[in-house]
Amino acid sequence: MLLELNNLTIPTFDKRKNIVEKISLDVQKGSIHAIIGPNGSGKSTIAYSIMGLENYQPSEGEIIFEGENITELGVTERAQRGITLAWQEPARIEGLSVLKYIALGIKDKSNLKKKVIEALKTVNLEPKKYINRFIDESLSGGERKRIELAATIAMRPKLILLDEPDAGLDMIVIEDFLNIFNKIKELDMTILLITHREDIGMVADRGTLVWQGMSLITDKFAEVMLRYCAKAGLKEFCKRTLFEDTEKCFDEDYIDKIFAEENSK
Amino acid sequence: MSNTEYPEEILQSLGDYNIDVRDFLPGHGGGAKLLLDFNKISGVEEIEGVVLKGREIENGIVADIIIKEGSVIEEPVHLCFGVKNETGVQEIFPRIIAEDNTEVKIQAHCSFPNADGLIHKMFGHFYIGNNCKFSYNETHYHGEKSGALVAPVSYMYIGENSIYENTFNLTSGTPGKVKIMLDIYAMKNSVIRSNIKAFGKSGKDSIRIRDAIYLEGENARSVLKMKAAAKNGGEVLMYGITEGNAPRCNGHVECQEIVLGKGSICRARPFIRAIDPTSTVSHEASLGRFPQKWLDELQAKGLTEEEATEILIEAMLREE
């Protein structure tokens, strides 16, 4: 197991209430694992807590990475152990070239340019066009997200936390991003994907449903999505959208059964 | 002039800015140039459309630069005021005139690599005519001993419909004591962009920059950006002034300063004034540390907080 969250409780900054309570999940090495749930359910909070960000320290529970308890470690120490986060809204640190920005996390500085070029290719950005550009307002939101993704890939981390990678992107770009996620997986990196969209999550091997700050189920992603729809009362949406390679993931009887179970709670 | 005739320390001193002074020596490149070796004029080269005269005086020079009417000067005019001595006084009196309908870029390099008690003063007058595009870029390097006292004062008149771009860069090496004063008077429909960057690195570094833009002509516009960092006891005061004194003029002052380590001081004083009811003048200032999110982003790539801060300062001081 690459990552385990055991009974993780994360309070608000003022400690008055908990954003997530007793969350437990495990992420298998080499997989894409999606955390799905509605807005405000605490998905991004979990990612920030795994990364060790200030104000997202758990009050209870533990985070285990490759068998080591990292709950008390800072951001830098976690990154140096192989965890990184691709941000939903990456800051525009103007004045840095794309080359320098992507190279920041590369430990072995030999053949630096070549490594940056490879990372740019992985996110489908033409290296010649981007490598000497500066990170400024001339880059679109989609380009900045790709560059952020390239910077995380160039680090060769063991675990990439992807926080709402689809936010602000059009469908064409999203489709391309799904292909990029699979390329990352082939490069032997694990992805923990934070999303509220079923079409993004379908790229995942497994998923965890987070609902009102609690993890309800960890299973194959389609199964998790079905429970999400049942919880939200979205039966027609579920029947319309849950497909895998054009095949329906579930027959209608099974969907009816899960919805009936949920309604009886 | 061959490379060997000009002090090697000065030739190499601007490497951190990616500037190779060799490119600007007489006989190299196509631009007009004036080179000073302490208080001796060691090279002057004029080109068509650029009159460049220098006269040595006690402790310095008077330099007259005239861009002739209608001239579009492709290569930058290069002014190199280098001093390899540790001590002494260098006083520069540049008088720069860009006649109407001209375009030119002037690059001034002030390099004092061994300064340890050196005084550099400048008293400049710039007259930019109508319909001009004038760019003045000044890059400083004051060595590593915080041993320079640098005090330039400039007055600039920017004519109607002209664009004036000013950059001042003092981010490499240790500044020492720096006192800069700049007054820019902007006439009708002129556009002024001024970017000032400085980095104080020790308790012996004290930088005071007072830049003022007076929007005197209708529809004149300006953006004044001042960026600085101070660490290890360094001190920076940036005083950015913009006055809107004419109808529909528009000015903005922006100060960003980062403080690192105990004893370092950054102060920003944006001062804005509008006396015409149709003018707009605004300011924003931020002091202290970088936003936590920016630090988090870089630390999540494995950098320590100190490394992340260094990178952010580098980016801030490079940003156009």
Side-chain angles (χ1 to χ4, degrees):
Chain A
M1 201 62 64
L2 186 70
L3 177 78
E4 293 168 61
L5 305 184
N6 296 327
N7 292 315
L8 207 64
T9 296
I10 308 164
T12 54
F13 176 59
D14 60 10
K15 316 280 184 210
R16 286 190 177 175
K17 62 175 192 172
N18 294 329
I19 303 170
V20 296
E21 273 189 21
K22 297 190 180 300
I23 289 270
S24 292
L25 64 92
D26 48 61
V27 177
Q28 291 169 1
K29 194 176 175 196
S31 68
I32 299 178
H33 189 115
I35 295 181
I36 195 157
N39 292 334
S41 58
K43 305 182 298 295
S44 294
T45 297
I46 296 168
Y48 298 157
S49 188
I50 295 168
M51 193 66 248
L53 303 190
E54 202 180 323
N55 301 334
Y56 295 93
Q57 297 301 317
S59 56
E60 281 178 60
E62 55 185 16
I63 303 167
I64 310 290
F65 183 68
E66 290 194 306
E68 182 190 8
N69 187 337
I70 61 165
T71 318
E72 299 299 322
L73 296 183
V75 183
T76 303
E77 286 85 0
R78 294 184 199 207
Q80 287 170 349
R81 278 163 173 75
I83 303 174
T84 194
L85 193 151
W87 305 77
Q88 188 179 145
E89 286 292 334
R92 200 170 62 209
I93 302 171
E94 298 194 1
L96 282 188
S97 69
V98 170
L99 171 64
K100 177 132 194 178
Y101 185 72
I102 293 176
L104 285 174
I106 300 176
K107 286 182 203 155
D108 176 4
K109 302 290 184 191
S110 61
N111 298 317
L112 198 62
K113 200 168 176 181
K114 193 178 163 196
K115 289 170 185 169
V116 172
I117 287 170
E118 281 305 312
L120 283 169
K121 282 181 182 170
T122 307
V123 298
N124 298 332
L125 287 180
E126 191 185 329
K128 268 188 190 169
K129 200 174 154 191
Y130 288 92
I131 199 159
N132 292 320
R133 271 178 80 170
F134 277 79
I135 298 175
D136 57 23
E137 61 195 0
S138 69
L139 292 169
S140 70
E143 286 171 322
R144 279 171 56 208
K145 282 203 170 201
R146 284 178 198 264
I147 288 165
E148 173 71 0
L149 204 50
T152 60
I153 292 166
M155 284 176 69
R156 286 287 187 270
K158 293 167 184 165
L159 174 65
I160 301 178
L161 309 167
L162 287 177
D163 184 22
E164 304 272 7
D166 53 294
L169 300 180
D170 59 52
M171 283 304 297
I172 301 162
V173 178
I174 288 170
E175 185 63 25
D176 194 31
F177 267 49
L178 297 180
N179 294 328
I180 293 168
F181 299 160
N182 280 318
K183 279 199 236 175
I184 294 171
K185 190 178 160 187
E186 284 166 17
L187 291 168
D188 208 23
M189 290 177 246
T190 304
I191 293 176
L192 182 60
L193 178 64
I194 309 298
T195 186
H196 60 271
R197 288 180 51 159
E198 86 296 339
D199 53 343
I200 303 292
M202 288 303 275
V203 76
D205 305 295
R206 297 172 77 231
T208 297
L209 170 61
V210 177
W211 187 270
Q212 293 176 351
M214 286 179 282
S215 54
L216 298 184
I217 177 176
T218 294
D219 205 326
K220 283 184 177 174
F221 183 77
E223 191 70 39
V224 170
M225 194 62 212
L226 174 60
R227 305 291 171 142
Y228 181 15
C229 290
K231 203 80 190 154
L234 299 171
K235 190 187 270 188
E236 289 311 309
F237 173 82
C238 181
K239 287 179 179 176
R240 205 169 57 236
T241 57
L242 281 186
F243 292 91
E244 198 165 20
D245 296 333
T246 70
E247 293 292 318
K248 279 187 178 177
C249 297
F250 309 104
D251 61 41
E252 298 211 2
D253 290 346
Y254 184 70
I255 292 173
D256 290 340
K257 178 176 165 254
I258 296 297
F259 272 74
E261 275 177 19
E262 187 58 42
N263 288 335
S264 67
K265 282 181 188 172
Chain B
M1 173 187 274
S2 70
N3 290 353
T4 52
E5 289 174 61
Y6 203 70
E8 186 62 24
E9 297 104 303
I10 297 172
L11 292 176
Q12 292 187 354
S13 61
L14 298 171
D16 279 358
Y17 294 111
N18 292 323
I19 294 168
D20 189 344
V21 181
R22 286 177 185 82
D23 294 343
F24 304 103
L25 292 176
H28 296 71
K33 56 206 62 158
L34 169 71
L35 271 82
L36 206 59
D37 179 4
F38 196 14
N39 291 324
K40 181 175 167 292
I41 295 170
S42 57
V44 181
E45 212 167 80
E46 294 181 325
I47 62 165
E48 192 180 344
V50 179
V51 177
L52 221 168
K53 305 288 180 201
R55 179 165 58 87
E56 292 173 6
I57 56 171
E58 188 185 0
N59 290 331
I61 67 152
V62 177
D64 288 327
I65 301 163
I66 300 170
I67 313 301
K68 301 295 286 178
E69 185 174 357
S71 300
V72 176
I73 311 300
E74 300 287 341
E75 297 272 342
V77 175
H78 182 239
L79 310 175
C80 186
F81 305 126
V83 181
K84 70 171 183 181
N85 299 21
E86 289 187 355
T87 61
V89 178
Q90 184 192 54
E91 293 178 335
I92 313 288
F93 295 84
R95 300 183 297 203
I96 298 175
I97 297 171
E99 294 180 352
D100 292 350
N101 308 307
T102 54
E103 285 187 28
V104 68
K105 279 184 184 176
I106 295 186
Q107 292 192 337
H109 300 146
C110 299
S111 177
F112 320 124
N114 304 312
D116 196 6
L118 181 83
I119 297 171
H120 164 93
K121 290 182 180 177
M122 187 180 94
F123 193 69
H125 284 86
F126 291 58
Y127 175 88
I128 313 302
N130 298 333
N131 309 310
C132 295
K133 281 177 82 175
F134 189 95
S135 163
Y136 183 77
N137 179 326
E138 192 169 308
T139 306
H140 279 238
Y141 175 68
H142 300 171
E144 303 296 334
K145 299 176 195 163
S146 299
L149 167 60
V150 174
V153 177
S154 296
Y155 297 97
M156 302 179 175
Y157 172 94
I158 314 301
E160 292 184 6
N161 306 311
S162 286
I163 299 171
Y164 175 75
E165 293 188 341
N166 176 67
T167 60
F168 175 86
N169 203 341
L170 175 55
T171 56
S172 174
T174 54
K177 303 268 182 291
V178 178
K179 292 179 180 177
I180 296 172
M181 206 188 96
L182 172 67
D183 280 348
I184 301 174
Y185 297 87
M187 298 301 126
K188 187 178 175 182
N189 294 328
S190 61
V191 176
I192 315 294
R193 298 186 198 104
S194 184
N195 277 323
I196 312 294
K197 298 170 197 168
F199 193 0
K201 294 173 185 164
S202 85
K204 291 200 282 182
D205 292 332
S206 167
I207 303 167
R208 286 159 188 257
I209 300 176
R210 176 203 162 281
D211 274 14
I213 300 174
Y214 304 100
L215 301 168
E216 300 293 340
E218 184 181 346
N219 201 34
R221 285 153 286 160
S222 69
V223 177
L224 170 58
K225 288 187 180 180
M226 309 177 91
K227 299 192 173 190
K231 71 175 187 181
N232 302 329
E235 183 188 357
V236 180
L237 165 63
M238 289 195 156
Y239 193 13
I241 301 168
T242 297
E243 289 191 5
N245 298 334
R248 290 175 294 284
C249 62
N250 191 325
H252 181 69
V253 184
E254 190 179 311
C255 299
Q256 186 185 5
E257 300 185 37
I258 299 299
V259 189
L260 301 169
K262 277 190 175 174
S264 308
I265 302 171
C266 276
R267 285 176 288 168
R269 288 186 194 158
F271 177 90
I272 55 175
R273 191 179 83 140
I275 61 167
D276 188 284
T278 61
S279 65
T280 306
V281 189
S282 59
H283 78 83
E284 59 181 286
S286 66
L287 296 177
R289 71 198 294 254
F290 287 108
Q292 185 61 43
K293 182 176 180 284
W294 295 13
L295 292 166
D296 285 341
E297 280 198 32
L298 298 186
Q299 286 186 254
K301 293 179 173 56
L303 277 67
T304 63
E305 185 173 340
E306 291 73 28
E307 289 167 338
T309 302
E310 290 287 338
I311 291 286
L312 290 170
I313 287 174
E314 182 190 327
M316 180 182 88
L317 295 177
R318 277 216 179 139
E319 184 196 342
E320 289 307 315

